[in-house]
Amino acid sequence: MTGRTEPASDMTSPGRWHRRHLLAIEPLSREEILTVLDVAAAMKEVSQRDVKKVPALRGKTVVLLFFEPSTRTRTSFEIAAKRLSADTVSFAVSTSSVSKGETFLDTVLNLQAMAPDAIVVRHRSAGAPYFITNYIDACVINAGDGSHEHPTQALLDAMTVRERLGRLDGLKVAIVGDILHSRVARSNIFLWHKVGSEVWVCGPPTLLPPVFRQWPVRVTYRLEEALEGADVIIVLRLQLERHVSLRFPSIREYFQRYGLTRERLKYAKAGVLIMHPGPMNRGIEIESEVADGPDSVILYQVSNGIAVRMAVLYLLLGGATVP
Amino acid sequence: MTERLLIREGRVVDPTQGLDDFRDILIEDGVIREVAPRLPTFPEAKTLEARGLIVAPGFIDMHVHLREPGEEDKETIETGTRAAAAGGFTAVACMANTTPVNDTAAVTQWILERARTVGIVRVYPVAAVTRGLRGEELTEMGELVDAGAVAFSDDGRPIRSTQVLRCALEYSRMTDRVLIDHCEDPDLTQGGAMNEGYYSSLLGLPGIPAEAEAIAVARDIFLARLTEAPVHVAHVSTRAAVELIRWAKQKGLPVTAEATPHHFTLSDRAVYERPYDTNLKMNPPLRTDDDVTAVVEGLADGTIDAIASDHAPHRLDDKRVEFDLAAFGVIGLETAVALALDRLVHTGRLSLRRMVELFTVGPARILRLPTPTVAPGRPADLTLIDPDQAWTYRVAESFSRSRNSPFDGWTFRGRAVRTIVGGQVVFEVSSQPAG
């Protein structure tokens, strides 16, 4: 999986970070992933202070360009930017000129004219962040593009696991649900493969087509097999708002086969970490007793999301030293 | 006064005559008068020194979208045929998906009249199979052929109903014209943006499976058997389709096929290597490396009868958008011959003679046109090729009105350097820098 290149940063970046954009996990090296996680750990300390703010990105402007509804990710990026003293501007689809028929390109060109330092973009089309990089000088951060990638989600998942289990390698990570349409699954698969853990993917065959056998994962349609001895379980959101209705007969049967329940958890290791990128469909992909249970780290993920996004903004925008 | 042009010392490659040798060619008033190893010079004749060049019968691109009438901001008959001439083509067949659709004799006649006025090369209109390309009612095929249509196609849209296609095939038999089908199962491809496979899964793009083509090709082959009507498969892109067509030909069924330069050059890996480049989005999509190999094998062994560009001009605004929203299609008239030389002939995968066949006799036979040959009495439509000239394609300098080529900046070995239609030089490479 080589071949994709990005222009190297012309900024002075700390440590081993030389990228101008964060578009995907797939082109990152293990070392780059660890750099983000190390910086994120330092950033987490900032969030625990009384005054949760450092001047690292003072004078920088971060645009949050969200073409899809999102509360958690947008808020998380916004808090992250503000804790680094950057100015943030939200550009949400409902309040923008996109609803007046402006093209994506024109929106991007107009933003470019306002000279932001970073653009955080969420878009329904895979590749939209790549498109932006052709027209804009700002750093581009992918906050989820169609069914492609959601790199900061995988990074915050990894941060959570490293905090809890003290390691990233040698683990069994099970990802359950709509693998085909999931950007969270793609980013996580690449990440866990790169850091030396074994990834199992599981879901109904209509949402997990045979092409995934060409990926560095183990594929199973039986949830029990995916959970067997698992250290980490990532439950994906069943995206009922997308066209998945043809692909399984009923939510009832989906829950029967792939819902994460207390009974099924016994296949996993004791102390397994249960994660979900949110928002959850309780009673569909995960039962509430599991989501709220002792093994769930779902809310820690949310906290770590801020730290990871601070780290990414900080690395891309070239803060001089780790605060 | 008689207008004479003498082409001297060219290497004439003419598959129909089995000729591959040096000949002088004398053209008088647009007609080939004499072809001989050595002809005397006429004092008043213009002379064209063709030493080092290949002289072939005029190349035909049987699958082109000229966009006129209706979408003149993408292409016109004038700009499209100028691009054709620059690519070495002396004739093009233009598809019916214009506005209005070429589904009546009036539109066919209008296209022919417009081509006579502003066209640079010959234009052969392809008429629609069904009214408005809606896949429901047949067009008046008899009148369309009388008006000058050379074939029928709803290209761009597969004919969804097998029953409608059966009727169209049966009815078209009275015209002795071929039906060109865009073979694709529309239910399977719905929403797809690129080939379904490893790279679409990496990029998170909805896929168009190879089977969508194979299923439609299989259907068409069996309808050809049922109706005994000729079927031509447009832009074959998959190994499965090549193998099905090979089987059909072995059974003696009236099935022919074409392939495009982008399908014998690029694979879906390119969409990953040039992430989300919309100039790599076309329908059928770029397939796998194995499919590319199969298409080349099909061109070499006679399974595929013609190379056609599927020249599909699009506005910048329809390509400078998100990948899944971008228009399907690429321009290709100016790069088709160069790609065939560079990628197929110079790599030893295709003989020069076979390449010439694929651009001349192949399409002519399918479209029921006179056999292109360099012989006395024939119209002087000739394509002159410098097989070794190195050159770089710059889409900014294209004669097409559109710029949606995936080959911008590519350097090729070999190109058409003169295009002659009816004895007139309609294109020549102005300078020929040494390769």
Side-chain angles (χ1 to χ4, degrees):
Chain A
M1 290 170 210
T2 55
R4 206 180 293 183
T5 55
E6 275 180 61
S9 169
D10 52 3
M11 300 182 278
T12 321
S13 300
R16 294 150 290 178
W17 189 265
H18 302 286
R19 281 177 196 273
R20 185 165 168 64
H21 309 295
L22 179 65
L23 303 176
I25 297 292
E26 193 247 45
L28 299 186
S29 66
R30 176 177 174 275
E31 200 178 36
E32 286 172 305
I33 290 166
L34 296 178
T35 297
V36 177
L37 297 183
D38 290 345
V39 174
M43 292 295 177
K44 189 159 182 175
E45 188 269 321
V46 172
S47 296
Q48 288 159 352
R49 296 179 191 170
D50 271 355
V51 177
K52 300 181 179 58
K53 198 160 188 150
V54 291
L57 298 183
R58 195 164 56 196
K60 305 281 188 185
T61 306
V62 176
V63 174
L64 306 168
L65 180 59
F66 277 65
F67 289 89
E68 270 190 339
S70 154
T71 309
R72 166 180 346 238
T73 305
R74 185 164 52 81
T75 309
S76 179
F77 268 108
E78 186 163 356
I79 292 174
K82 287 189 162 144
R83 287 193 179 162
L84 294 170
S85 301
D87 298 314
T88 61
V89 184
S90 265
F91 191 102
V93 66
S94 51
T95 58
S96 78
S97 34
V98 171
S99 49
K100 297 172 195 159
E102 187 176 64
T103 65
F104 184 38
L105 176 64
D106 281 331
T107 303
V108 169
L109 291 176
N110 276 280
L111 284 176
Q112 164 65 12
M114 299 177 201
D117 298 290
I119 293 186
V120 178
V121 62
R122 156 78 56 100
H123 198 289
R124 59 168 293 283
S125 294
Y130 289 80
F131 180 90
I132 297 180
T133 61
N134 295 326
Y135 301 99
I136 211 152
D137 298 327
C139 305
V140 176
I141 300 170
N142 182 0
D145 62 329
S147 300
H148 177 229
E149 282 220 35
H150 190 355
T152 56
Q153 178 69 45
L155 289 164
L156 72 88
D157 292 345
M159 180 177 182
T160 307
V161 171
R162 192 163 75 163
E163 271 183 6
R164 288 288 166 145
L165 302 181
R167 59 195 290 196
L168 292 170
D169 61 333
L171 302 173
K172 175 173 176 178
V173 178
I175 305 176
V176 181
D178 180 357
I179 308 294
L180 177 62
H181 298 108
S182 176
R183 52 197 177 210
V184 174
R186 281 174 179 72
S187 288
N188 265 292
I189 290 169
F190 289 122
L191 187 145
W192 293 107
H193 176 65
K194 285 170 194 282
V195 298
S197 282
E198 185 180 57
V199 183
W200 284 69
V201 291
C202 179
T206 40
L207 299 173
L208 178 50
V211 68
F212 282 94
R213 295 188 194 287
Q214 297 175 51
W215 284 56
V217 294
R218 304 286 301 272
V219 174
T220 178
Y221 306 128
R222 283 187 51 241
L223 184 55
E224 291 74 14
E225 193 183 7
L227 299 187
E228 184 72 49
D231 300 283
V232 177
I233 304 168
I234 299 173
V235 182
L236 300 174
R237 170 184 168 73
L238 196 60
Q239 299 179 76
L240 299 166
E241 69 278 13
R242 291 185 206 257
H243 39 81
V244 291
S245 54
L246 250 182
R247 296 176 188 262
F248 54 90
S250 66
I251 286 172
R252 179 172 170 269
E253 182 156 303
Y254 184 87
F255 181 70
Q256 281 178 0
R257 293 270 159 168
Y258 298 104
L260 192 62
T261 58
R262 284 159 291 173
E263 296 75 54
R264 290 218 170 92
L265 265 189
K266 66 175 189 276
Y267 290 94
K269 274 191 188 153
V272 63
L273 301 183
I274 293 162
M275 308 210 288
H276 191 297
M280 271 187 283
N281 297 304
R282 291 174 181 262
I284 297 178
E285 67 253 7
I286 188 166
E287 93 182 339
S288 277
E289 287 79 354
V290 173
D292 304 331
D295 295 325
S296 167
V297 292
I298 292 170
L299 295 175
Y300 292 95
Q301 292 175 269
V302 178
S303 305
N304 285 338
I306 293 172
V308 155
R309 286 161 184 141
M310 286 171 78
V312 168
L313 285 165
Y314 179 78
L315 288 168
L316 291 178
L317 291 174
T321 52
V322 176
Chain B
M1 183 184 129
T2 304
E3 198 179 334
R4 290 195 176 87
L5 174 66
L6 182 64
I7 301 173
R8 283 164 48 94
E9 296 186 46
R11 174 183 163 196
V12 176
V13 176
D14 182 350
T16 306
Q17 301 182 58
L19 176 63
D20 182 353
D21 210 343
F22 296 94
R23 292 285 186 275
D24 289 356
I25 302 165
L26 178 67
I27 298 165
E28 279 184 4
D29 291 331
V31 176
I32 296 170
R33 190 59 58 206
E34 272 186 90
V35 181
R38 190 85 186 130
L39 288 170
T41 49
F42 288 80
E44 77 278 27
K46 278 186 280 187
T47 303
L48 205 163
E49 297 295 343
R51 192 176 304 149
L53 302 183
I54 290 155
V55 181
F59 283 11
I60 301 163
D61 189 338
M62 66 173 293
H63 192 141
V64 169
H65 298 271
L66 292 178
R67 303 295 189 213
E68 192 180 1
E71 296 186 293
E72 295 83 358
D73 53 338
K74 294 180 181 175
E75 196 77 284
T76 64
I77 288 171
E78 183 177 359
T79 58
T81 55
R82 201 173 289 283
F89 293 102
T90 62
V92 296
C94 57
M95 285 296 163
N97 58 342
T98 48
T99 311
V101 170
N102 181 14
D103 57 3
T104 60
V107 177
T108 300
Q109 284 159 353
W110 186 89
I111 291 168
L112 286 168
E113 181 52 38
R114 187 79 187 144
R116 261 191 295 277
T117 318
V118 300
I120 311 297
V121 305
R122 297 181 202 279
V123 173
Y124 299 114
V126 175
V129 178
T130 63
R131 288 179 209 262
L133 309 175
R134 282 188 298 271
E136 292 162 5
E137 312 151 88
L138 302 186
T139 54
E140 292 168 332
M141 292 182 171
E143 190 173 70
L144 284 161
V145 169
D146 291 345
V150 295
F152 300 102
S153 182
D154 279 1
D155 183 68
R157 298 202 196 177
I159 298 173
R160 185 184 283 260
S161 160
T162 306
Q163 180 64 10
V164 168
L165 182 55
R166 178 200 173 149
C167 290
L169 284 167
E170 282 177 340
Y171 191 74
S172 71
R173 288 192 61 196
M174 75 173 187
T175 66
D176 186 37
R177 291 295 187 281
V178 73
L179 192 151
I180 302 170
D181 196 22
H182 172 124
C183 288
E184 174 185 355
D185 181 316
D187 293 321
L188 267 182
T189 63
Q190 204 170 33
M194 69 174 291
N195 182 50
E196 180 174 328
Y198 178 63
Y199 292 106
S200 70
S201 77
L202 279 188
L203 294 166
L205 286 169
I208 300 174
E211 285 71 13
E213 178 171 279
I215 287 166
V217 168
R219 175 188 76 159
D220 287 14
I221 286 170
F222 286 107
L223 287 178
R225 186 169 79 170
L226 179 67
T227 62
E228 298 176 20
V231 173
H232 176 76
V233 180
H235 40 54
V236 169
S237 68
T238 59
R239 174 175 289 280
V242 172
E243 288 177 356
L244 287 165
I245 294 160
R246 188 175 288 130
W247 176 86
K249 288 193 163 184
Q250 281 161 4
K251 296 285 176 196
L253 298 173
V255 175
T256 54
E258 72 193 26
T260 74
H262 46 272
H263 287 117
F264 68 62
T265 302
L266 293 165
S267 69
D268 59 354
R269 191 161 32 86
V271 188
Y272 171 77
E273 289 168 348
R274 293 155 62 174
Y276 305 100
D277 181 343
T278 56
N279 285 330
L280 297 167
K281 183 179 178 184
M282 58 284 276
N283 190 8
L286 299 175
R287 302 290 190 180
T288 67
D289 289 326
D290 180 59
D291 293 310
V292 172
T293 303
V295 167
V296 173
E297 287 164 3
L299 288 164
D301 73 9
T303 302
I304 299 171
D305 305 87
I307 295 173
S309 70
D310 194 7
H311 179 83
H314 286 292
R315 289 176 206 103
L316 202 53
D317 294 339
D318 295 334
K319 282 293 194 179
R320 271 197 325 193
V321 294
E322 301 90 319
F323 193 89
D324 55 343
L325 304 180
F328 288 100
V330 294
I331 57 171
L333 279 165
E334 294 166 314
T335 46
V337 172
L339 282 164
L341 286 164
D342 190 271
R343 295 291 162 139
L344 303 179
V345 176
H346 290 316
T347 56
R349 297 192 287 176
L350 214 64
S351 69
L352 182 65
R353 175 190 163 148
R354 177 67 188 144
M355 185 201 92
V356 172
E357 270 178 3
L358 288 161
F359 280 116
T360 57
V361 222
R365 205 174 283 148
I366 295 160
L367 299 178
R368 314 295 192 252
L369 301 174
T371 304
T373 181
V374 186
R378 309 307 292 263
D381 289 5
L382 299 169
T383 299
L384 275 60
I385 288 165
D386 181 338
D388 294 311
Q389 188 185 137
W391 67 292
T392 301
Y393 180 62
R394 303 275 179 215
V395 77
E397 295 159 18
S398 170
F399 289 102
S400 170
R401 289 208 68 173
S402 290
R403 295 290 177 261
N404 51 311
S405 167
F407 302 113
D408 185 30
W410 282 41
T411 294
F412 303 109
R413 181 177 158 209
R415 71 186 304 182
V417 291
R418 292 270 197 302
T419 307
I420 299 173
V421 178
Q424 301 295 316
V425 177
V426 295
F427 171 76
E428 59 186 310
V429 172
S430 40
S431 61
Q432 296 184 28

